[in-house]
Amino acid sequence: MARISIAGVGIEYELLGKPGAPAIALTPGGRFPMDSPGVPQLAEALAAGGRRVLLWDRPNCGASDICFDAPGESELQGRTLAQLIRALDLGPTALAAGSAGSRVSLIAASRDPDVVSHLILWWISGGAISLISLAAYYCVDSALAASRGGMAAVAQLPGWAEQIRRNPRNRDIILAQDPARFMETMERWAMAYMPSQTSPVPGMSPEEFARLRMPVLIFRNGKSDLSHTRRTSEWVHELIPHSQMLDPPWPDDEWNTRSAAAMKTGSGHFAGWPAIAPEILDFTSR
């Protein structure tokens, strides 16, 4: 593991594979860290296929610093990803990501397309139920805690416990926030997730989709998946006319099955991700 400061935010990362090889930045979903089951295994398969693979903890995830200084959390993470690739001098890099990571990668690619060679997306979050749930999950508990008990109550929330355990400085970052300003930030971040009639992905306008000129591969979302609706992946495909869409190598109910297993046994949401390594390697070799 290594650490670097990006715009004053400490970012934990790891590089696998041969230096100078074509690079792939791998980004997981949720606020899960880079060592979540399935993610390192996918990275190892890509590295074995001749790629230089960047694993990283996004701001507010894993051992990286917590940060609230951005219009939205996905915007913060997308901006940081592009800056991280430049800081590590990886050259044009393929962005491969699922769930929240797909949103972050879309934003990074649209804001700084010159740093991106390819874009590979799966489990793209979208749909009214999904996006409203994200606003509640990422913002509501923290805002309510701040309103009732100040920032000390926010620091005690289960949603921040892992980040504080891995990086004790994160507790100090939370406690240093002004509660009133923090609640305003959570309101703004929640609004960023609100469903739109013009775009399937929060933080991405149709004009920003049009900036994506690099090769794009989309794995179709499952019919049964309300967190990543099939229509979301199809809409993204329509907004990127040159994109290629494939059915993933896992069952339609992969997300539902993995989520249920994670709740019962602690197994990873992303445990099936290594199965798409061959498609990623083939696509990025073109």
Side-chain angles (χ1 to χ4, degrees), residues 173-253:
I173 293 173
I174 291 173
L175 294 177
Q177 307 301 309
D178 174 73
R181 183 178 177 185
F182 176 79
M183 286 185 282
E184 291 174 358
T185 298
M186 291 299 99
E187 288 268 5
R188 186 172 64 253
W189 283 19
M191 283 299 298
Y193 290 110
M194 290 300 101
S196 166
Q197 296 298 312
T198 60
S199 173
V201 176
M204 289 290 296
S205 67
E207 294 75 19
E208 286 161 337
F209 274 104
R211 299 188 69 197
L212 303 174
R213 303 294 187 183
M214 69 289 296
V216 179
L217 175 63
I218 300 167
F219 288 97
R220 196 187 317 271
N221 289 351
K223 283 186 178 179
S224 63
D225 188 347
L226 277 179
S227 295
H228 321 92
T229 66
R230 172 155 290 186
R231 176 57 188 151
T232 301
S233 60
E234 293 171 344
W235 194 355
V236 171
H237 181 43
E238 292 165 9
L239 287 167
I240 312 173
H242 66 277
S243 62
Q244 177 184 354
M245 179 173 277
L246 294 178
D247 288 315
W250 45 63
D252 179 81
D253 63 351

Side-chain angles (χ1 to χ4, degrees), residues 20-181:
I24 299 177
L26 188 57
T27 306
R31 281 196 180 129
F32 291 102
M34 62 179 167
D35 60 359
S36 298
V39 180
Q41 291 78 13
L42 174 55
E44 290 164 4
L46 296 174
R51 302 299 187 270
R52 182 72 157 159
V53 184
L54 170 64
L55 289 168
W56 68 300
D57 281 340
R58 292 155 287 158
N60 303 344
C61 304
S64 288
D65 285 353
I66 288 172
C67 179
F68 304 108
D69 186 18
E73 187 168 34
S74 299
E75 181 78 25
L76 166 68
Q77 295 173 350
R79 177 183 73 201
T80 302
L81 175 55
Q83 293 172 333
L84 177 61
I85 290 169
R86 289 191 178 278
L88 296 176
D89 197 23
L90 295 178
T93 298
L95 309 186
S99 198
S102 65
R103 180 173 61 253
V104 168
S105 296
L106 279 164
I107 290 172
S110 68
R111 305 310 192 262
D112 194 354
D114 290 343
V115 83
V116 180
S117 66
H118 301 73
L119 193 55
I120 305 102
L121 309 170
W122 59 95
W123 288 357
I124 306 172
S125 305
I129 290 173
S130 171
L131 296 181
I132 292 169
S133 298
L134 291 179
Y137 181 78
Y138 290 128
C139 306
V140 170
D141 284 351
S142 289
L144 291 176
S147 72
R148 295 167 180 169
M151 298 312 297
V154 176
Q156 293 174 0
L157 288 173
W160 297 113
E162 182 69 5
Q163 293 89 324
I164 291 172
R165 183 188 70 79
R166 291 181 181 237
N167 179 1
R169 179 174 177 265
N170 278 331
R171 186 174 189 276
D172 296 332
I173 293 173
I174 291 173
L175 294 177
Q177 307 301 309
D178 174 73
R181 183 178 177 185

